[in-house]
Structure formats: structure tokens, C-alpha cells
Amino acid sequence: TSERGGSADIFRAQVDGTAVERLTDSPAFDDQAALSPDNRSVAFVSTRGDGSTDIYILDLGSRQIRNLTNAPGGDFRPSWSPDGRTIAFSSERGTGFPHQGFPEPAGRWEHVQAASVYLINTDGTGLRKLTTDPAMMAGSPKWSSDGSKIVFYEMPVRGTFLARVGS
């Protein structure tokens, strides 16, 4: 991701830094690129469209871009399964704009971050929520090399405010 042209766009380059190529060119914010296992597609996060943060897939051959998640709320951190058929991602869909009284007892109301880990097939079907505890924030999923497991971080939703301000 680089903002060299104004807003954030996705680029690729050779490992030695040569042959820099711009892959997206949009006034929207494009970030968090993940290359597919077959090196033919890139999943990335973008605010294009209605401004909601969705996961898009760019076909590197045709340069066609399609919205994979297309739903209200923010979708983040796409991660391809080793077979390239499924993407794991973090999403705050359906959480509203949660607030938490902090510090106890309630006095101030601070915005907290609530998100879960989801799976979706790369054709847009089969959306499935993996994490279900509304008191926990789950994010940044990554697949094991054999595709049998997904690792992610988890923390109490209440603690997400403290993560921004320190202790």
C-alpha cells in the first residue's frame, strides 16, 4: 500500500524493489492486500462504492475488480486459504457502534471495537461467522499451511479502548 498518488492504493514490485506496478487507482482507500496462492488474484480492503470497508478481489490478468463482501460495517484483513477457495477476514458487521462505560463505575462512554472472524468462499457464497462471543474482539485471521486451522488474536471488546490509549 502506498499513498504516493494521493489516496492509498495497492502496488506490487519485484523483491529487489524494481518494476513497481500500481494495481489499483481509486480515490478510495485501498489497503491490506493479500496475494492468492496461485498468484492470479489479490484480495484487498477498500472504501470504494458506498464508503463501507469491504473486501474486493482483483484479477491480475483481466484487471477486473469485484466486491466480495458487499455489506454494511467494516471488513478487514483478508487471508486466503491454501487452496484459494476461501477467504478468512475480520468484520464488525452487525455490531453497531458499541460504547462501554469506562472507567468503572460508568462515567464516560468510550467507543470500543467489536469484530468477529468470518469465512467466505471466493465466489461470494458460504458466508460463515467463526467467532461468536460478543464480549470478545477477534481479528487478523491467518490460515495454517495445510488449511486445517485458522489463528487469530482475541481480546475483550472492553479492552480495545485501552489498547488505543495505553495504560
Side-chain angles (χ1 to χ4, degrees):
T1 301
S2 174
E3 295 176 352
R4 64 184 70 191
S7 68
D9 283 304
I10 307 296
F11 291 76
R12 70 176 170 179
Q14 297 294 320
V15 293
D16 65 1
T18 62
V20 175
E21 178 185 9
R22 185 182 207 146
L23 299 178
T24 64
D25 189 0
S26 171
F29 182 83
D30 296 340
D31 192 21
Q32 302 173 16
L35 186 62
S36 65
D38 66 4
N39 297 320
R40 293 179 167 174
S41 300
V42 174
F44 65 98
V45 171
S46 182
T47 58
R48 59 187 66 211
D50 65 3
S52 174
T53 308
D54 288 313
I55 302 203
Y56 288 76
I57 295 182
L58 165 66
D59 180 294
L60 291 170
S62 70
R63 298 302 172 139
Q64 293 296 307
I65 296 175
R66 64 185 168 88
N67 188 333
L68 179 66
T69 55
N70 201 21
D75 299 329
F76 308 98
R77 304 287 181 207
S79 177
W80 293 85
S81 62
D83 66 9
R85 293 186 294 194
T86 308
I87 290 179
F89 64 98
S90 304
S91 181
E92 51 189 33
R93 60 183 60 211
T95 62
F97 194 67
H99 289 77
Q100 175 72 49
F102 185 80
E104 295 278 313
R108 297 188 338 231
W109 290 92
E110 305 293 355
H111 176 67
V112 292
Q113 182 74 33
S116 298
V117 173
Y118 288 79
L119 296 178
I120 192 168
N121 296 329
T122 56
D123 66 3
T125 64
L127 179 69
R128 183 168 64 127
K129 186 176 183 179
L130 291 183
T131 58
T132 58
D133 185 346
M136 298 301 285
M137 155 69 166
S140 296
K142 297 291 179 206
W143 294 82
S144 63
S145 60
D146 66 1
S148 67
K149 295 178 180 72
I150 296 173
V151 65
F152 56 91
Y153 73 82
E154 188 174 62
M155 68 183 292
V157 168
R158 179 182 158 80
T160 63
F161 178 75
L162 292 175
R164 288 188 295 248
V165 298
S167 53

